[in-house]
Amino acid sequence: GDSVTQMEGPVTLSEEAFLTINCTYTATGYPSLFWYVQYPGEGLQLLLKATKADDKGSNKGFEATYRKETTSFHLEKGSVQVSDSAVYFCALSQQGAQKLVFGQGTRLTINP
Amino acid sequence: EAGVTQFPSHSVIEKGQTVTLRCDPISGHDNLYWYRRVMGKEIKFLLHFVKESKQDESGMPNNRFLAERTGGTYSTLKVQPAELEDSGVYFCASSQDPNTEAFFGQGTRLTVV
């Protein structure tokens, strides 16, 4: 079945550092890919998504590019802030927003 | 506009007891999903309602779990009897249609002792 693998956390960075959280997937066909974020005390929020190969999703300074050839959807941000501290989940779906398949999550802590 | 609301936020019960989790979706959202995250692992799909009908319940772990959505509004997820391995965070999400963004609630943290 479909699966998503994320880099294990926790990840701790200093403010203004460059961030990469790796995500690779195994799936049939052409799934949609997502990054969700869970800030402390809040629910999961959609951060960005890409629905086809070579699409780039972006939001709040974060970017991820759908790479079919490497089955990857790595999350990047050029300069992180303390407010980016959260748990980040990579996910895929074969059916729009239905039946999301998530990775195990990566806890990110940004120190001032 | 109110978001997806889940009750309770935390629940601690003893093994063998019954617990009922509730989810109130965003008003007008016909699609409602349950997911759970067990012991810091990946979040796993449990089931999908379209209005009051179960569209897909392939992720339900066993018959100790019963989900309902009477009237197509709020949904409940009952665990009876609860086992230790049921501990985790249960998330509910809703969407207007299956191809639009699913909005998640804060989750219910269930601890079975």
Side-chain angles (χ1 to χ4, degrees), chain A residues 41-80:
Chain A
E42 299 184 15
L44 290 165
Q45 299 174 27
L46 178 63
L47 180 60
L48 53 84
K49 68 177 182 182
T51 57
K52 60 183 187 294
D54 299 324
D55 266 4
K56 178 186 284 188
S58 61
N59 186 24
K60 299 182 180 180
F62 290 89
E63 292 182 341
T65 301
Y66 190 141
R67 301 288 189 199
K68 181 70 175 172
E69 63 276 12
T70 55
T71 62
S72 65
F73 193 55
H74 305 320
L75 183 68
E76 297 183 334
K77 186 174 185 181
S79 177
V80 292

PDB file of all heavy atoms in Angstrom, chain A residues 41-80:
ATOM      1  N   GLY A  41      -1.000  23.034  20.793  1.00  0.00           N
ATOM      2  CA  GLY A  41      -2.359  23.268  21.254  1.00  0.00           C
ATOM      3  C   GLY A  41      -3.384  23.457  20.156  1.00  0.00           C
ATOM      4  O   GLY A  41      -4.541  23.774  20.437  1.00  0.00           O
ATOM      5  N   GLU A  42      -2.983  23.261  18.914  1.00  0.00           N
ATOM      6  CA  GLU A  42      -3.899  23.466  17.802  1.00  0.00           C
ATOM      7  C   GLU A  42      -4.070  22.190  16.984  1.00  0.00           C
ATOM      8  O   GLU A  42      -3.379  21.200  17.191  1.00  0.00           O
ATOM      9  CB  GLU A  42      -3.405  24.597  16.911  1.00  0.00           C
ATOM     10  CG  GLU A  42      -3.295  25.932  17.634  1.00  0.00           C
ATOM     11  CD  GLU A  42      -2.892  27.059  16.705  1.00  0.00           C
ATOM     12  OE1 GLU A  42      -2.970  26.892  15.483  1.00  0.00           O
ATOM     13  OE2 GLU A  42      -2.493  28.118  17.218  1.00  0.00           O
ATOM     14  N   GLY A  43      -5.024  22.228  16.058  1.00  0.00           N
ATOM     15  CA  GLY A  43      -5.239  21.102  15.163  1.00  0.00           C
ATOM     16  C   GLY A  43      -4.285  21.143  13.984  1.00  0.00           C
ATOM     17  O   GLY A  43      -3.487  22.061  13.840  1.00  0.00           O
ATOM     18  N   LEU A  44      -4.390  20.137  13.140  1.00  0.00           N
ATOM     19  CA  LEU A  44      -3.577  20.099  11.928  1.00  0.00           C
ATOM     20  C   LEU A  44      -4.070  21.159  10.956  1.00  0.00           C
ATOM     21  O   LEU A  44      -5.266  21.330  10.759  1.00  0.00           O
ATOM     22  CB  LEU A  44      -3.702  18.739  11.255  1.00  0.00           C
ATOM     23  CG  LEU A  44      -3.049  17.555  11.953  1.00  0.00           C
ATOM     24  CD1 LEU A  44      -3.569  16.258  11.366  1.00  0.00           C
ATOM     25  CD2 LEU A  44      -1.548  17.636  11.813  1.00  0.00           C
ATOM     26  N   GLN A  45      -3.119  21.847  10.329  1.00  0.00           N
ATOM     27  CA  GLN A  45      -3.479  22.846   9.317  1.00  0.00           C
ATOM     28  C   GLN A  45      -2.746  22.502   8.028  1.00  0.00           C
ATOM     29  O   GLN A  45      -1.560  22.132   8.062  1.00  0.00           O
ATOM     30  CB  GLN A  45      -3.042  24.244   9.759  1.00  0.00           C
ATOM     31  CG  GLN A  45      -3.664  24.751  11.033  1.00  0.00           C
ATOM     32  CD  GLN A  45      -3.069  26.075  11.450  1.00  0.00           C
ATOM     33  OE1 GLN A  45      -2.587  26.846  10.625  1.00  0.00           O
ATOM     34  NE2 GLN A  45      -3.106  26.359  12.739  1.00  0.00           N
ATOM     35  N   LEU A  46      -3.432  22.642   6.921  1.00  0.00           N
ATOM     36  CA  LEU A  46      -2.764  22.448   5.641  1.00  0.00           C
ATOM     37  C   LEU A  46      -1.772  23.586   5.422  1.00  0.00           C
ATOM     38  O   LEU A  46      -2.135  24.761   5.464  1.00  0.00           O
ATOM     39  CB  LEU A  46      -3.785  22.416   4.507  1.00  0.00           C
ATOM     40  CG  LEU A  46      -3.210  22.265   3.101  1.00  0.00           C
ATOM     41  CD1 LEU A  46      -2.489  20.923   2.959  1.00  0.00           C
ATOM     42  CD2 LEU A  46      -4.319  22.382   2.055  1.00  0.00           C
ATOM     43  N   LEU A  47      -0.517  23.232   5.193  1.00  0.00           N
ATOM     44  CA  LEU A  47       0.521  24.238   4.960  1.00  0.00           C
ATOM     45  C   LEU A  47       0.674  24.499   3.460  1.00  0.00           C
ATOM     46  O   LEU A  47       0.683  25.640   3.013  1.00  0.00           O
ATOM     47  CB  LEU A  47       1.844  23.769   5.550  1.00  0.00           C
ATOM     48  CG  LEU A  47       3.033  24.705   5.402  1.00  0.00           C
ATOM     49  CD1 LEU A  47       2.770  26.048   6.061  1.00  0.00           C
ATOM     50  CD2 LEU A  47       4.289  24.060   5.987  1.00  0.00           C
ATOM     51  N   LEU A  48       0.801  23.438   2.685  1.00  0.00           N
ATOM     52  CA  LEU A  48       0.909  23.571   1.234  1.00  0.00           C
ATOM     53  C   LEU A  48       0.624  22.224   0.588  1.00  0.00           C
ATOM     54  O   LEU A  48       0.613  21.199   1.263  1.00  0.00           O
ATOM     55  CB  LEU A  48       2.284  24.101   0.826  1.00  0.00           C
ATOM     56  CG  LEU A  48       3.527  23.383   1.339  1.00  0.00           C
ATOM     57  CD1 LEU A  48       3.889  22.198   0.474  1.00  0.00           C
ATOM     58  CD2 LEU A  48       4.707  24.335   1.426  1.00  0.00           C
ATOM     59  N   LYS A  49       0.401  22.275  -0.715  1.00  0.00           N
ATOM     60  CA  LYS A  49       0.128  21.035  -1.429  1.00  0.00           C
ATOM     61  C   LYS A  49       0.584  21.144  -2.882  1.00  0.00           C
ATOM     62  O   LYS A  49       0.817  22.246  -3.400  1.00  0.00           O
ATOM     63  CB  LYS A  49      -1.358  20.698  -1.388  1.00  0.00           C
ATOM     64  CG  LYS A  49      -2.230  21.652  -2.182  1.00  0.00           C
ATOM     65  CD  LYS A  49      -3.694  21.205  -2.143  1.00  0.00           C
ATOM     66  CE  LYS A  49      -4.560  22.129  -2.989  1.00  0.00           C
ATOM     67  NZ  LYS A  49      -6.003  21.719  -2.925  1.00  0.00           N
ATOM     68  N   ALA A  50       0.704  19.985  -3.524  1.00  0.00           N
ATOM     69  CA  ALA A  50       1.019  19.913  -4.944  1.00  0.00           C
ATOM     70  C   ALA A  50       0.267  18.722  -5.513  1.00  0.00           C
ATOM     71  O   ALA A  50       0.212  17.662  -4.887  1.00  0.00           O
ATOM     72  CB  ALA A  50       2.522  19.763  -5.171  1.00  0.00           C
ATOM     73  N   THR A  51      -0.316  18.895  -6.665  1.00  0.00           N
ATOM     74  CA  THR A  51      -1.186  17.846  -7.195  1.00  0.00           C
ATOM     75  C   THR A  51      -0.600  17.111  -8.390  1.00  0.00           C
ATOM     76  O   THR A  51      -1.146  16.086  -8.802  1.00  0.00           O
ATOM     77  CB  THR A  51      -2.554  18.428  -7.586  1.00  0.00           C
ATOM     78  OG1 THR A  51      -2.342  19.472  -8.528  1.00  0.00           O
ATOM     79  CG2 THR A  51      -3.283  18.964  -6.364  1.00  0.00           C
ATOM     80  N   LYS A  52       0.501  17.613  -8.968  1.00  0.00           N
ATOM     81  CA  LYS A  52       1.099  16.872 -10.067  1.00  0.00           C
ATOM     82  C   LYS A  52       2.598  17.095 -10.091  1.00  0.00           C
ATOM     83  O   LYS A  52       3.121  18.031  -9.465  1.00  0.00           O
ATOM     84  CB  LYS A  52       0.473  17.260 -11.400  1.00  0.00           C
ATOM     85  CG  LYS A  52       0.587  18.706 -11.793  1.00  0.00           C
ATOM     86  CD  LYS A  52      -0.141  18.948 -13.100  1.00  0.00           C
ATOM     87  CE  LYS A  52       0.096  20.353 -13.632  1.00  0.00           C
ATOM     88  NZ  LYS A  52      -0.477  21.381 -12.769  1.00  0.00           N
ATOM     89  N   ALA A  53       3.274  16.238 -10.836  1.00  0.00           N
ATOM     90  CA  ALA A  53       4.736  16.263 -10.891  1.00  0.00           C
ATOM     91  C   ALA A  53       5.246  17.643 -11.307  1.00  0.00           C
ATOM     92  O   ALA A  53       4.673  18.290 -12.185  1.00  0.00           O
ATOM     93  CB  ALA A  53       5.232  15.196 -11.855  1.00  0.00           C
ATOM     94  N   ASP A  54       6.302  18.074 -10.625  1.00  0.00           N
ATOM     95  CA  ASP A  54       7.002  19.341 -10.848  1.00  0.00           C
ATOM     96  C   ASP A  54       6.251  20.559 -10.309  1.00  0.00           C
ATOM     97  O   ASP A  54       6.762  21.676 -10.378  1.00  0.00           O
ATOM     98  CB  ASP A  54       7.344  19.557 -12.323  1.00  0.00           C
ATOM     99  CG  ASP A  54       8.251  18.470 -12.864  1.00  0.00           C
ATOM    100  OD1 ASP A  54       9.118  18.001 -12.094  1.00  0.00           O
ATOM    101  OD2 ASP A  54       8.085  18.060 -14.020  1.00  0.00           O
ATOM    102  N   ASP A  55       5.057  20.353  -9.771  1.00  0.00           N
ATOM    103  CA  ASP A  55       4.358  21.448  -9.105  1.00  0.00           C
ATOM    104  C   ASP A  55       5.127  21.860  -7.867  1.00  0.00           C
ATOM    105  O   ASP A  55       5.680  21.017  -7.163  1.00  0.00           O
ATOM    106  CB  ASP A  55       2.950  20.999  -8.670  1.00  0.00           C
ATOM    107  CG  ASP A  55       1.896  21.333  -9.692  1.00  0.00           C
ATOM    108  OD1 ASP A  55       2.249  21.850 -10.771  1.00  0.00           O
ATOM    109  OD2 ASP A  55       0.717  21.074  -9.403  1.00  0.00           O
ATOM    110  N   LYS A  56       5.118  23.144  -7.565  1.00  0.00           N
ATOM    111  CA  LYS A  56       5.707  23.636  -6.325  1.00  0.00           C
ATOM    112  C   LYS A  56       4.602  24.232  -5.488  1.00  0.00           C
ATOM    113  O   LYS A  56       3.886  25.133  -5.925  1.00  0.00           O
ATOM    114  CB  LYS A  56       6.776  24.693  -6.602  1.00  0.00           C
ATOM    115  CG  LYS A  56       7.385  25.278  -5.333  1.00  0.00           C
ATOM    116  CD  LYS A  56       8.350  26.429  -5.634  1.00  0.00           C
ATOM    117  CE  LYS A  56       9.662  25.917  -6.148  1.00  0.00           C
ATOM    118  NZ  LYS A  56      10.668  27.014  -6.272  1.00  0.00           N
ATOM    119  N   GLY A  57       4.456  23.725  -4.267  1.00  0.00           N
ATOM    120  CA  GLY A  57       3.544  24.325  -3.313  1.00  0.00           C
ATOM    121  C   GLY A  57       4.307  25.305  -2.447  1.00  0.00           C
ATOM    122  O   GLY A  57       5.469  25.067  -2.122  1.00  0.00           O
ATOM    123  N   SER A  58       3.657  26.406  -2.060  1.00  0.00           N
ATOM    124  CA  SER A  58       4.338  27.384  -1.215  1.00  0.00           C
ATOM    125  C   SER A  58       3.334  28.102  -0.335  1.00  0.00           C
ATOM    126  O   SER A  58       2.180  28.313  -0.714  1.00  0.00           O
ATOM    127  CB  SER A  58       5.119  28.385  -2.059  1.00  0.00           C
ATOM    128  OG  SER A  58       4.251  29.095  -2.911  1.00  0.00           O
ATOM    129  N   ASN A  59       3.800  28.463   0.860  1.00  0.00           N
ATOM    130  CA  ASN A  59       2.958  29.180   1.812  1.00  0.00           C
ATOM    131  C   ASN A  59       3.820  29.597   2.992  1.00  0.00           C
ATOM    132  O   ASN A  59       4.637  28.814   3.488  1.00  0.00           O
ATOM    133  CB  ASN A  59       1.801  28.283   2.287  1.00  0.00           C
ATOM    134  CG  ASN A  59       0.811  29.019   3.157  1.00  0.00           C
ATOM    135  OD1 ASN A  59       0.680  30.235   3.089  1.00  0.00           O
ATOM    136  ND2 ASN A  59       0.087  28.279   3.979  1.00  0.00           N
ATOM    137  N   LYS A  60       3.634  30.801   3.471  1.00  0.00           N
ATOM    138  CA  LYS A  60       4.319  31.303   4.660  1.00  0.00           C
ATOM    139  C   LYS A  60       5.836  31.167   4.556  1.00  0.00           C
ATOM    140  O   LYS A  60       6.518  30.965   5.575  1.00  0.00           O
ATOM    141  CB  LYS A  60       3.833  30.574   5.913  1.00  0.00           C
ATOM    142  CG  LYS A  60       2.353  30.747   6.202  1.00  0.00           C
ATOM    143  CD  LYS A  60       1.964  30.028   7.493  1.00  0.00           C
ATOM    144  CE  LYS A  60       0.492  30.204   7.790  1.00  0.00           C
ATOM    145  NZ  LYS A  60       0.093  29.515   9.026  1.00  0.00           N
ATOM    146  N   GLY A  61       6.384  31.254   3.369  1.00  0.00           N
ATOM    147  CA  GLY A  61       7.819  31.134   3.188  1.00  0.00           C
ATOM    148  C   GLY A  61       8.302  29.706   3.024  1.00  0.00           C
ATOM    149  O   GLY A  61       9.478  29.469   2.723  1.00  0.00           O
ATOM    150  N   PHE A  62       7.429  28.741   3.212  1.00  0.00           N
ATOM    151  CA  PHE A  62       7.768  27.335   3.018  1.00  0.00           C
ATOM    152  C   PHE A  62       7.507  26.945   1.556  1.00  0.00           C
ATOM    153  O   PHE A  62       6.595  27.459   0.915  1.00  0.00           O
ATOM    154  CB  PHE A  62       6.913  26.432   3.918  1.00  0.00           C
ATOM    155  CG  PHE A  62       7.229  26.531   5.378  1.00  0.00           C
ATOM    156  CD1 PHE A  62       6.586  27.458   6.176  1.00  0.00           C
ATOM    157  CD2 PHE A  62       8.164  25.685   5.956  1.00  0.00           C
ATOM    158  CE1 PHE A  62       6.880  27.553   7.528  1.00  0.00           C
ATOM    159  CE2 PHE A  62       8.454  25.760   7.307  1.00  0.00           C
ATOM    160  CZ  PHE A  62       7.807  26.701   8.089  1.00  0.00           C
ATOM    161  N   GLU A  63       8.331  26.023   1.058  1.00  0.00           N
ATOM    162  CA  GLU A  63       8.152  25.514  -0.301  1.00  0.00           C
ATOM    163  C   GLU A  63       8.407  24.019  -0.322  1.00  0.00           C
ATOM    164  O   GLU A  63       9.190  23.499   0.481  1.00  0.00           O
ATOM    165  CB  GLU A  63       9.156  26.171  -1.257  1.00  0.00           C
ATOM    166  CG  GLU A  63       8.952  27.633  -1.504  1.00  0.00           C
ATOM    167  CD  GLU A  63       9.965  28.172  -2.504  1.00  0.00           C
ATOM    168  OE1 GLU A  63      11.005  27.523  -2.709  1.00  0.00           O
ATOM    169  OE2 GLU A  63       9.704  29.234  -3.084  1.00  0.00           O
ATOM    170  N   ALA A  64       7.746  23.343  -1.271  1.00  0.00           N
ATOM    171  CA  ALA A  64       8.038  21.932  -1.521  1.00  0.00           C
ATOM    172  C   ALA A  64       7.704  21.647  -2.972  1.00  0.00           C
ATOM    173  O   ALA A  64       6.691  22.130  -3.484  1.00  0.00           O
ATOM    174  CB  ALA A  64       7.223  21.026  -0.598  1.00  0.00           C
ATOM    175  N   THR A  65       8.546  20.868  -3.636  1.00  0.00           N
ATOM    176  CA  THR A  65       8.351  20.550  -5.041  1.00  0.00           C
ATOM    177  C   THR A  65       8.091  19.063  -5.208  1.00  0.00           C
ATOM    178  O   THR A  65       8.811  18.225  -4.653  1.00  0.00           O
ATOM    179  CB  THR A  65       9.582  20.952  -5.869  1.00  0.00           C
ATOM    180  OG1 THR A  65       9.797  22.361  -5.716  1.00  0.00           O
ATOM    181  CG2 THR A  65       9.374  20.632  -7.348  1.00  0.00           C
ATOM    182  N   TYR A  66       7.085  18.743  -5.946  1.00  0.00           N
ATOM    183  CA  TYR A  66       6.675  17.368  -6.236  1.00  0.00           C
ATOM    184  C   TYR A  66       7.655  16.784  -7.244  1.00  0.00           C
ATOM    185  O   TYR A  66       7.654  17.152  -8.413  1.00  0.00           O
ATOM    186  CB  TYR A  66       5.266  17.415  -6.830  1.00  0.00           C
ATOM    187  CG  TYR A  66       4.516  16.120  -7.006  1.00  0.00           C
ATOM    188  CD1 TYR A  66       3.166  16.088  -6.747  1.00  0.00           C
ATOM    189  CD2 TYR A  66       5.117  14.950  -7.471  1.00  0.00           C
ATOM    190  CE1 TYR A  66       2.405  14.926  -6.937  1.00  0.00           C
ATOM    191  CE2 TYR A  66       4.388  13.796  -7.660  1.00  0.00           C
ATOM    192  CZ  TYR A  66       3.032  13.787  -7.392  1.00  0.00           C
ATOM    193  OH  TYR A  66       2.296  12.640  -7.585  1.00  0.00           O
ATOM    194  N   ARG A  67       8.507  15.864  -6.784  1.00  0.00           N
ATOM    195  CA  ARG A  67       9.514  15.239  -7.636  1.00  0.00           C
ATOM    196  C   ARG A  67       9.133  13.788  -7.891  1.00  0.00           C
ATOM    197  O   ARG A  67       9.317  12.928  -7.030  1.00  0.00           O
ATOM    198  CB  ARG A  67      10.893  15.297  -6.969  1.00  0.00           C
ATOM    199  CG  ARG A  67      11.388  16.688  -6.666  1.00  0.00           C
ATOM    200  CD  ARG A  67      11.780  17.427  -7.902  1.00  0.00           C
ATOM    201  NE  ARG A  67      12.460  18.687  -7.582  1.00  0.00           N
ATOM    202  CZ  ARG A  67      12.585  19.691  -8.436  1.00  0.00           C
ATOM    203  NH1 ARG A  67      12.072  19.606  -9.654  1.00  0.00           N
ATOM    204  NH2 ARG A  67      13.213  20.793  -8.069  1.00  0.00           N
ATOM    205  N   LYS A  68       8.580  13.550  -9.064  1.00  0.00           N
ATOM    206  CA  LYS A  68       8.141  12.200  -9.405  1.00  0.00           C
ATOM    207  C   LYS A  68       9.338  11.253  -9.545  1.00  0.00           C
ATOM    208  O   LYS A  68       9.296  10.096  -9.126  1.00  0.00           O
ATOM    209  CB  LYS A  68       7.343  12.235 -10.713  1.00  0.00           C
ATOM    210  CG  LYS A  68       6.809  10.884 -11.157  1.00  0.00           C
ATOM    211  CD  LYS A  68       5.703  10.399 -10.249  1.00  0.00           C
ATOM    212  CE  LYS A  68       5.092   9.099 -10.792  1.00  0.00           C
ATOM    213  NZ  LYS A  68       4.143   8.505  -9.830  1.00  0.00           N
ATOM    214  N   GLU A  69      10.437  11.756 -10.100  1.00  0.00           N
ATOM    215  CA  GLU A  69      11.574  10.880 -10.387  1.00  0.00           C
ATOM    216  C   GLU A  69      12.254  10.373  -9.116  1.00  0.00           C
ATOM    217  O   GLU A  69      12.820   9.283  -9.103  1.00  0.00           O
ATOM    218  CB  GLU A  69      12.579  11.600 -11.298  1.00  0.00           C
ATOM    219  CG  GLU A  69      13.227  12.835 -10.702  1.00  0.00           C
ATOM    220  CD  GLU A  69      12.388  14.096 -10.837  1.00  0.00           C
ATOM    221  OE1 GLU A  69      11.198  14.007 -11.191  1.00  0.00           O
ATOM    222  OE2 GLU A  69      12.935  15.188 -10.562  1.00  0.00           O
ATOM    223  N   THR A  70      12.181  11.172  -8.058  1.00  0.00           N
ATOM    224  CA  THR A  70      12.787  10.747  -6.787  1.00  0.00           C
ATOM    225  C   THR A  70      11.727  10.436  -5.734  1.00  0.00           C
ATOM    226  O   THR A  70      12.066  10.143  -4.592  1.00  0.00           O
ATOM    227  CB  THR A  70      13.715  11.841  -6.239  1.00  0.00           C
ATOM    228  OG1 THR A  70      12.994  13.069  -6.136  1.00  0.00           O
ATOM    229  CG2 THR A  70      14.934  12.018  -7.135  1.00  0.00           C
ATOM    230  N   THR A  71      10.473  10.461  -6.125  1.00  0.00           N
ATOM    231  CA  THR A  71       9.324  10.255  -5.218  1.00  0.00           C
ATOM    232  C   THR A  71       9.525  11.020  -3.922  1.00  0.00           C
ATOM    233  O   THR A  71       9.460  10.446  -2.815  1.00  0.00           O
ATOM    234  CB  THR A  71       9.058   8.759  -4.954  1.00  0.00           C
ATOM    235  OG1 THR A  71      10.171   8.153  -4.315  1.00  0.00           O
ATOM    236  CG2 THR A  71       8.712   8.040  -6.235  1.00  0.00           C
ATOM    237  N   SER A  72       9.758  12.319  -4.051  1.00  0.00           N
ATOM    238  CA  SER A  72      10.034  13.131  -2.873  1.00  0.00           C
ATOM    239  C   SER A  72       9.211  14.407  -2.874  1.00  0.00           C
ATOM    240  O   SER A  72       8.724  14.855  -3.925  1.00  0.00           O
ATOM    241  CB  SER A  72      11.532  13.475  -2.818  1.00  0.00           C
ATOM    242  OG  SER A  72      11.891  14.292  -3.911  1.00  0.00           O
ATOM    243  N   PHE A  73       9.087  14.972  -1.684  1.00  0.00           N
ATOM    244  CA  PHE A  73       8.342  16.227  -1.511  1.00  0.00           C
ATOM    245  C   PHE A  73       8.942  16.925  -0.292  1.00  0.00           C
ATOM    246  O   PHE A  73       8.290  17.126   0.719  1.00  0.00           O
ATOM    247  CB  PHE A  73       6.855  15.912  -1.324  1.00  0.00           C
ATOM    248  CG  PHE A  73       5.927  17.105  -1.442  1.00  0.00           C
ATOM    249  CD1 PHE A  73       5.937  17.912  -2.560  1.00  0.00           C
ATOM    250  CD2 PHE A  73       5.001  17.380  -0.445  1.00  0.00           C
ATOM    251  CE1 PHE A  73       5.078  18.994  -2.684  1.00  0.00           C
ATOM    252  CE2 PHE A  73       4.124  18.453  -0.552  1.00  0.00           C
ATOM    253  CZ  PHE A  73       4.167  19.267  -1.670  1.00  0.00           C
ATOM    254  N   HIS A  74      10.190  17.291  -0.391  1.00  0.00           N
ATOM    255  CA  HIS A  74      10.922  17.868   0.735  1.00  0.00           C
ATOM    256  C   HIS A  74      10.444  19.276   1.051  1.00  0.00           C
ATOM    257  O   HIS A  74      10.265  20.103   0.139  1.00  0.00           O
ATOM    258  CB  HIS A  74      12.423  17.903   0.443  1.00  0.00           C
ATOM    259  CG  HIS A  74      13.002  16.573   0.069  1.00  0.00           C
ATOM    260  ND1 HIS A  74      12.634  15.386   0.679  1.00  0.00           N
ATOM    261  CD2 HIS A  74      13.940  16.248  -0.860  1.00  0.00           C
ATOM    262  CE1 HIS A  74      13.315  14.393   0.151  1.00  0.00           C
ATOM    263  NE2 HIS A  74      14.112  14.880  -0.793  1.00  0.00           N
ATOM    264  N   LEU A  75      10.311  19.568   2.331  1.00  0.00           N
ATOM    265  CA  LEU A  75       9.868  20.887   2.784  1.00  0.00           C
ATOM    266  C   LEU A  75      11.084  21.756   3.073  1.00  0.00           C
ATOM    267  O   LEU A  75      12.003  21.318   3.761  1.00  0.00           O
ATOM    268  CB  LEU A  75       9.017  20.751   4.054  1.00  0.00           C
ATOM    269  CG  LEU A  75       8.421  22.044   4.608  1.00  0.00           C
ATOM    270  CD1 LEU A  75       7.362  22.590   3.668  1.00  0.00           C
ATOM    271  CD2 LEU A  75       7.829  21.794   5.990  1.00  0.00           C
ATOM    272  N   GLU A  76      11.066  23.002   2.572  1.00  0.00           N
ATOM    273  CA  GLU A  76      12.184  23.911   2.775  1.00  0.00           C
ATOM    274  C   GLU A  76      11.694  25.290   3.166  1.00  0.00           C
ATOM    275  O   GLU A  76      10.609  25.709   2.771  1.00  0.00           O
ATOM    276  CB  GLU A  76      13.024  24.026   1.487  1.00  0.00           C
ATOM    277  CG  GLU A  76      13.671  22.736   1.046  1.00  0.00           C
ATOM    278  CD  GLU A  76      14.532  22.927  -0.183  1.00  0.00           C
ATOM    279  OE1 GLU A  76      14.269  23.863  -0.962  1.00  0.00           O
ATOM    280  OE2 GLU A  76      15.468  22.124  -0.378  1.00  0.00           O
ATOM    281  N   LYS A  77      12.533  25.954   3.955  1.00  0.00           N
ATOM    282  CA  LYS A  77      12.305  27.366   4.252  1.00  0.00           C
ATOM    283  C   LYS A  77      13.661  28.028   4.427  1.00  0.00           C
ATOM    284  O   LYS A  77      14.532  27.491   5.108  1.00  0.00           O
ATOM    285  CB  LYS A  77      11.457  27.559   5.508  1.00  0.00           C
ATOM    286  CG  LYS A  77      11.091  29.030   5.748  1.00  0.00           C
ATOM    287  CD  LYS A  77      10.126  29.213   6.907  1.00  0.00           C
ATOM    288  CE  LYS A  77       9.708  30.681   7.008  1.00  0.00           C
ATOM    289  NZ  LYS A  77       8.782  30.952   8.121  1.00  0.00           N
ATOM    290  N   GLY A  78      13.812  29.180   3.832  1.00  0.00           N
ATOM    291  CA  GLY A  78      15.120  29.821   3.808  1.00  0.00           C
ATOM    292  C   GLY A  78      15.573  30.396   5.134  1.00  0.00           C
ATOM    293  O   GLY A  78      16.767  30.427   5.433  1.00  0.00           O
ATOM    294  N   SER A  79      14.622  30.856   5.951  1.00  0.00           N
ATOM    295  CA  SER A  79      14.990  31.518   7.199  1.00  0.00           C
ATOM    296  C   SER A  79      13.866  31.280   8.201  1.00  0.00           C
ATOM    297  O   SER A  79      12.812  31.916   8.113  1.00  0.00           O
ATOM    298  CB  SER A  79      15.199  33.018   6.964  1.00  0.00           C
ATOM    299  OG  SER A  79      15.479  33.681   8.184  1.00  0.00           O
ATOM    300  N   VAL A  80      14.099  30.360   9.120  1.00  0.00           N
ATOM    301  CA  VAL A  80      13.021  29.990  10.044  1.00  0.00           C
ATOM    302  C   VAL A  80      12.918  30.984  11.197  1.00  0.00           C
ATOM    303  O   VAL A  80      13.885  31.666  11.560  1.00  0.00           O
ATOM    304  CB  VAL A  80      13.219  28.558  10.595  1.00  0.00           C
ATOM    305  CG1 VAL A  80      13.041  27.541   9.484  1.00  0.00           C
ATOM    306  CG2 VAL A  80      14.576  28.413  11.279  1.00  0.00           C
TER     307      VAL A  80
END
